[in-house]
Amino acid sequence: MVDEVDVLVETDINPTENEEKVRIAINNVLGGATFTVKPAQRGSILTAHAKSQDSLTKLRNLVRNDRIRDATRKLLLKKIRTDTINFYLNKQVAYAGHVSFSEETAESPLGPLRFTIKTDNPQQLIEWLAEKT
């Protein structure tokens, strides 16, 4: 178990989107988060914050159930920058209860869920999230 884990998820809520559905999308992949909403130039920005490895258990289970552990581990290991892991998930797929990694904009017309995970041991956290099959 990794000692320190700080998870931040940000996403744009477009004027055409239902804020509650966006919260559900985040809740499907992140547990125990506190939410804040700030107005933006177009729509608003929803931020979810969680402070433990356990908050990532839902994401871990989805990666296992969707049978994408090896691909997830490979992708996340490339995304490590010192003590931080940054990645994007497709918002609509998360709402449906699955995981699909995406790039910042192109693959997710409504905008992705932007994850920033700070931890004292990113490689150990990734091994826990997506252990080898």
Side-chain angles (χ1 to χ4, degrees):
M1 193 129 198
V2 178
D3 291 337
E4 304 242 344
V5 178
D6 191 37
V7 184
L8 184 69
V9 180
E10 288 184 311
T11 191
D12 299 326
I13 301 175
N14 298 297
T16 57
E17 286 183 287
N18 178 324
E19 181 183 321
E20 190 54 36
K21 287 185 176 183
V22 177
R23 285 176 187 259
I24 290 169
I26 293 172
N27 275 324
N28 282 345
V29 294
L30 184 68
T34 55
F35 290 92
T36 55
V37 179
K38 290 184 267 184
Q41 201 166 6
R42 222 186 66 140
S44 52
I45 297 173
L46 179 65
T47 303
H49 187 248
K51 294 280 283 178
S52 73
Q53 180 173 328
D54 289 341
S55 67
L56 295 168
T57 299
K58 288 181 179 182
L59 178 61
R60 180 181 190 230
N61 291 337
L62 289 172
V63 164
R64 177 178 287 154
N65 293 342
D66 287 350
R67 297 181 173 179
I68 57 170
R69 285 183 287 188
D70 292 333
T72 296
R73 188 177 54 262
K74 186 176 178 182
L75 180 137
L76 293 180
L77 287 170
K78 289 181 183 175
K79 302 291 185 176
I80 296 174
R81 299 288 174 266
T82 318
D83 65 347
T84 305
I85 308 164
N86 291 301
F87 60 92
Y88 303 96
L89 292 182
N90 182 295
K91 192 189 306 180
Q92 292 94 325
V93 175
Y95 179 75
H98 294 281
V99 173
S100 177
F101 291 90
S102 70
E103 293 302 318
E104 192 167 355
T105 51
E107 298 167 38
S108 193
L110 296 176
L113 302 176
R114 297 180 294 274
F115 275 74
T116 303
I117 302 174
K118 289 187 184 285
T119 178
D120 53 343
N121 193 334
Q123 289 184 320
Q124 185 180 341
L125 181 66
I126 291 168
E127 286 302 323
W128 173 81
L129 260 176
E131 72 271 6
K132 286 186 175 153
T133 56

